Amino acid sequence: MKNAEEIVSVAKEKGMTSIITCVAEPKYLGEALALRDRNNGFVHVTAGFHPHYVTKYSDDYIKSYMDTLESTRFSIIGIGEIGLDYSGVVSDDDKARQKLMFRKFIDFAKVNNCLLYTSDAADELDGVDLGGSRIIK
């Protein structure tokens, strides 16, 4: 998170009342939560898993990340960014892994009554109840 403190400072100077930082790669969750803690009430966090990163991390790491999200669910205001992005993906296994992760995060958002930030990729998953009131497109 380059220049995060500077961005927060400028946002406050410009009269903004709050900002949301979106964690798209798991390794940045700790930094985002620390930024939120240093700027409580001004910085809010959503946490997700951009589809380009799902093949970068092991199943054990992903489980640990999901466990961390569960334990910090009251520190985040929503789930996102998540979705499907097949640009540059050639393997059917990688596409299947993206879909699996997308479903896991949808389920997490539903169980924890979180906002869900996603893209039009949701339209690709037949039979998934996304709960329209929880989607920001």
Side-chain angles (χ1 to χ4, degrees), residues 4-79:
E5 293 293 348
E6 181 181 342
I7 291 167
V8 169
S9 178
V10 170
K12 288 177 179 179
E13 287 172 13
K14 299 289 183 180
M16 293 181 71
T17 58
S18 65
I19 60 175
I20 298 172
T21 184
C22 178
V23 176
E25 186 173 6
K27 70 180 183 179
Y28 296 112
L29 179 62
E31 289 178 53
L33 291 173
L35 181 67
R36 182 200 69 96
D37 290 345
R38 289 190 303 274
N39 298 277
N40 198 9
F42 187 79
V43 173
H44 307 281
V45 176
T46 66
F49 210 133
H50 190 281
H52 283 180
Y53 301 121
V54 299
T55 58
K56 181 177 177 179
Y57 293 94
S58 70
D59 289 341
D60 288 340
Y61 187 95
I62 292 169
K63 182 181 180 333
S64 174
Y65 180 58
M66 297 295 289
D67 290 345
T68 300
L69 290 181
E70 178 67 33
S71 69
T72 60
R73 70 184 179 278
F74 298 112
S75 299
I76 60 175
I77 62 165
I79 297 300

